[in-house]
Amino acid sequence: MPAVHLDKNNFERLVIDEKRTAIIDFWAPRCAPCRMLGPVVEAVAEEVPEGVLVGKVDADQEPELSIRYNVMAIPTLIAFRDGQEVRRTVGLTSKEEILGLLD
């Protein structure tokens, strides 16, 4: 399944309230490393087990979410489990490292 585009209207419901495992990519179209990471995130979305959400938050369009999760640089990927942040990585990263966020 492709990565889900998240915003302030659906983030809480899809990531926090459902207490699912999720990897969320905070990115922006103006960010070259983010654009390079985009296809990797989409590949991860196709490989994760059923029930794991892979989402993308446009940090420029959703500054409230960026502030809430203390995103200081993009791209930032945050892994959630049971509605809580468990890990994060900042900057370009490999598909293997992103999948490793689920461990």
Side-chain angles (χ1 to χ4, degrees):
M1 177 189 331
V4 175
H5 293 279
L6 300 168
D7 58 30
K8 64 184 174 198
N9 298 315
N10 65 4
F11 189 94
E12 191 78 20
R13 176 176 52 85
L14 293 175
V15 179
I16 307 304
D17 293 345
E18 291 189 13
K19 297 191 183 299
R20 64 184 355 163
T21 299
I23 297 174
I24 309 303
D25 175 20
F26 285 81
W27 73 290
R30 64 177 164 77
C31 164
C34 298
R35 291 192 310 271
M36 293 169 58
L37 189 61
V40 178
V41 171
E42 291 296 337
V44 167
E46 296 296 330
E47 285 189 29
V48 294
E50 188 174 330
V52 174
L53 173 73
V54 176
K56 295 178 72 74
V57 173
D58 183 331
D60 288 344
Q61 297 294 318
E62 301 297 332
E64 302 92 357
L65 288 173
S66 298
I67 292 167
R68 178 176 174 186
Y69 291 101
N70 200 30
V71 174
M72 305 301 280
I74 52 175
T76 292
L77 288 100
I78 302 177
F80 290 85
R81 186 168 290 122
D82 297 324
Q84 300 292 317
E85 179 180 338
V86 291
R87 290 189 169 160
R88 81 169 47 201
T89 184
V90 179
L92 272 177
T93 189
S94 69
K95 181 170 72 170
E96 292 75 22
E97 288 175 291
I98 296 170
L99 289 167
L101 292 172
L102 296 172
D103 294 339

